[in-house]
Amino acid sequence: MLRTFRIGGIHPPENKLSAGKKITPLDLPEQVIIPLGQHIGAPAQAIVKKGDIVKVGTLIAKAGGFVSANIHSSVSGKVNKVDVVTDASGYKKPAIFIDVDGDEWEDSIDRSTTYIRECGLPSKEIIEKIAGAGIVGLGGATFPTQVKLSPPPGSKAEILIINAVECEPYLTSDHSLMMEKGQEIMTGVTILMKAIHVTKAVIGIENNKPDAIKHFQQLAKDFNGIEIMPLKVQYPQGGEKQLIDAVMRRQVKSGALPISEGAVVQNVGTAFAVYEAVQKNKPLVERVVTVTGKAVSNPCNLLVRIGTPVRALIEAAGGIPENTGKIIGGGPMMGKALVTADIPVTKGSSGILLLTKQEAKRKPVYDCIRCAKCVNICPMGLNPTFLMSLTEYTNWEAAEKNNIVDCIECGSCSYTCPANRPLLDHIRLGKGTVMGIIRARKS
């Protein structure tokens, strides 16, 4: 019997419209806009100014703290300005604007297609290379990878878990990467194992990707200590705590980190980026993005330079359909509506979803009928309707006591609510407020 996590979960329609589509490199835009805050933690600090000439891979912003990440130019050309841009959150954030002129790369980057399996570097140098390359979690959370690979004193990793689940409906960027870059991903996994001093890794893949499971099981025969674990399709299995439960049968306690149960979790796309950083000296300057939707004429998986306007990706997929109601950054469950198609692709951009007007229309909201469906499906064991009420009444003390900060914002509660109540919208607001109170208290 296939494993999955043991608390809550749902199975929304998968709608993997772009599954099986080859990764297609997107043409370079005329200008890229590279935000300085593409990761959890402190924004990077710009080290270039207007008029500077850069190449692909040139360091343009240094990490702004321990939890932060370097940022590199994804194109060659001239810095137009350091200004602000509206990002996926809808707020103005600092960014570097670069006018594209050709496609010249830094000489240190190995651009050959030669596969390099062996890595002779010790753990410390691996982590330094990953930090230097600006690698972050590519599953959406964008946590700086070098921080995850450096457990706090007293903590020790037992196992590396690779998140190849891609449970979010519509998205297929990870699936396409697994099918085309399997060897490189496997080597990236061995590098990550070496970095955290473990001898065992598990790659979790949901069983709606039988081709990827078969491909990786074949590859794993040549790699020691790596197990491929097919998993039952269950959303949100891509959540760290849910994946740990599925793989290890351990549940991470409220407020604790995965390392408390001996696990380090990395996304499959991050494993590939680690391979390129360590074996090819290539910083994170591009990523695979799914562009999809039921009305999109050409759902596809594109290899996109960081900073490319979302509009260019949509044009490559056939343009914006006339009946488009919303453009979502990410998938339908955890993604957020974009205020404009001109925002830039960032390290955390896994997908662009175009919803029709009918799909995007909110249904009438009714009073809670106390059915407890939201409670039964919450993968964190929370009471979403209660947390929504606490937020509405600004009872932040009770919201904190009832673990509102444990919410992983998966949207399962809103999806399953028969009264169409905007549970996640309120919980997200309450969670942000409570986290701010906690930070202020600590400082």
Side-chain angles (χ1 to χ4, degrees):
M1 186 174 177
L2 293 172
R3 289 187 180 190
T4 186
F5 56 98
R6 295 168 290 175
I7 298 177
I10 58 175
H11 189 180
E14 294 171 15
N15 291 319
K16 303 286 189 176
L17 308 176
S18 50
K21 298 287 186 75
K22 295 285 187 181
I23 298 171
T24 305
L26 184 67
D27 292 338
L28 295 177
E30 293 182 359
Q31 185 185 70
V32 294
I33 305 169
I34 304 180
L36 298 181
Q38 298 185 51
H39 46 264
I40 285 179
Q45 302 297 314
I47 59 171
V48 293
K49 60 184 184 303
K50 180 178 179 178
D52 286 353
I53 303 298
V54 295
K55 298 179 182 179
V56 180
T58 300
L59 182 66
I60 58 174
K62 287 187 176 181
F66 176 68
V67 182
S68 188
N70 287 342
I71 294 174
H72 303 76
S73 176
S74 60
V75 296
S76 61
K78 182 184 287 188
V79 176
N80 181 289
K81 59 181 176 178
V82 180
D83 204 344
V84 294
V85 66
T86 301
D87 69 0
S89 70
Y91 291 98
K92 297 280 188 182
K93 300 289 179 62
I96 298 171
F97 295 65
I98 303 173
D99 295 327
V100 179
D101 181 15
D103 192 27
E104 187 177 354
W105 291 55
E106 290 285 355
D107 294 338
S108 59
I109 301 172
D110 179 1
R111 298 189 63 200
S112 72
T113 56
T114 304
Y115 166 59
I116 305 172
R117 172 162 174 165
E118 300 302 324
C119 172
L121 298 178
S123 171
K124 184 180 178 182
E125 289 184 32
I126 288 173
I127 295 173
E128 287 173 353
K129 267 202 153 186
I130 289 169
I135 308 299
V136 301
L138 295 185
T142 63
F143 197 86
T145 302
Q146 78 276 5
V147 180
K148 266 195 180 182
L149 300 178
S150 307
S155 302
K156 188 180 187 308
E158 299 174 23
I159 186 174
L160 171 69
I161 299 177
I162 299 298
N163 178 2
V165 170
E166 200 164 46
C167 61
E168 181 85 28
Y170 286 96
L171 303 187
T172 60
S173 54
D174 284 351
H175 189 180
S176 63
L177 190 65
M178 286 189 277
M179 295 308 298
E180 296 188 34
K181 300 293 183 182
Q183 279 190 318
E184 292 85 347
I185 289 169
M186 293 296 280
T187 295
V189 173
T190 63
I191 292 170
L192 287 167
M193 291 168 67
K194 191 174 184 180
I196 58 174
H197 306 288
V198 298
T199 57
K200 182 180 181 181
V202 173
I203 302 177
I205 309 175
E206 287 193 332
N207 70 332
N208 60 355
K209 306 173 188 64
D211 52 350
I213 292 171
K214 182 179 178 181
H215 181 44
F216 270 68
Q217 284 176 335
Q218 190 64 35
L219 290 171
K221 293 178 182 178
D222 296 327
F223 291 85
N224 294 327
I226 300 179
E227 176 188 352
I228 310 303
M229 183 178 289
L231 298 168
K232 179 183 175 181
V233 177
Q234 184 89 324
Y235 178 85
Q237 196 150 229
E240 278 192 332
K241 295 183 178 181
Q242 286 66 44
L243 189 55
I244 290 168
D245 186 21
V247 171
M248 300 177 69
R249 283 295 181 260
R250 296 183 188 177
Q251 291 180 351
V252 181
K253 294 180 178 64
S254 175
L257 297 173
I259 193 65
S260 67
E261 295 298 331
V264 172
V265 183
Q266 296 286 353
N267 177 263
V268 69
T270 308
F272 176 67
V274 164
Y275 166 83
E276 292 201 306
V278 176
Q279 304 294 73
K280 298 285 188 174
N281 294 314
K282 180 183 173 183
L284 185 51
V285 295
E286 58 187 359
R287 68 157 297 150
V288 181
V289 182
T290 298
V291 186
T292 185
K294 292 179 180 177
V296 173
S297 60
N298 178 35
C300 52
N301 301 300
L302 301 173
L303 182 63
V304 183
R305 300 288 178 91
I306 303 300
T308 301
V310 164
R311 190 177 300 278
L313 282 69
I314 297 173
E315 289 301 319
I320 300 177
E322 286 187 11
N323 64 338
T324 298
K326 277 184 182 178
I327 300 174
I328 306 292
M333 298 301 294
M334 296 188 76
K336 297 179 182 178
L338 305 180
V339 295
T340 171
D342 295 317
I343 72 158
V345 168
T346 63
K347 295 176 182 181
S349 301
S350 56
I352 304 297
L353 171 61
L354 284 76
L355 296 179
T356 64
K357 290 178 180 178
Q358 184 177 358
E359 291 172 312
K361 187 177 180 181
R362 292 224 177 191
K363 297 177 182 177
V365 177
Y366 300 101
D367 290 339
C368 176
I369 61 173
R370 300 294 189 267
C371 67
K373 282 187 176 181
C374 62
V375 178
N376 291 335
I377 58 82
C378 178
M380 295 304 295
L382 304 176
N383 185 334
T385 188
F386 184 48
L387 294 175
M388 175 177 170
S389 295
L390 293 175
T391 297
E392 287 182 302
Y393 288 99
T394 65
N395 190 341
W396 308 127
E397 183 180 355
E400 182 179 350
K401 286 181 179 178
N402 284 275
N403 302 318
I404 196 170
V405 296
D406 283 349
C407 172
I408 61 172
E409 303 181 27
C410 68
S412 297
C413 53
S414 294
Y415 176 83
T416 199
C417 179
N420 307 315
R421 296 182 65 73
L423 295 161
L424 176 59
D425 294 356
H426 284 80
I427 293 170
R428 185 179 276 148
L429 173 64
K431 176 183 172 181
T433 303
V434 170
M435 288 177 70
I437 292 170
I438 293 171
R439 284 195 297 270
R441 188 165 65 225
K442 287 181 178 178
S443 63

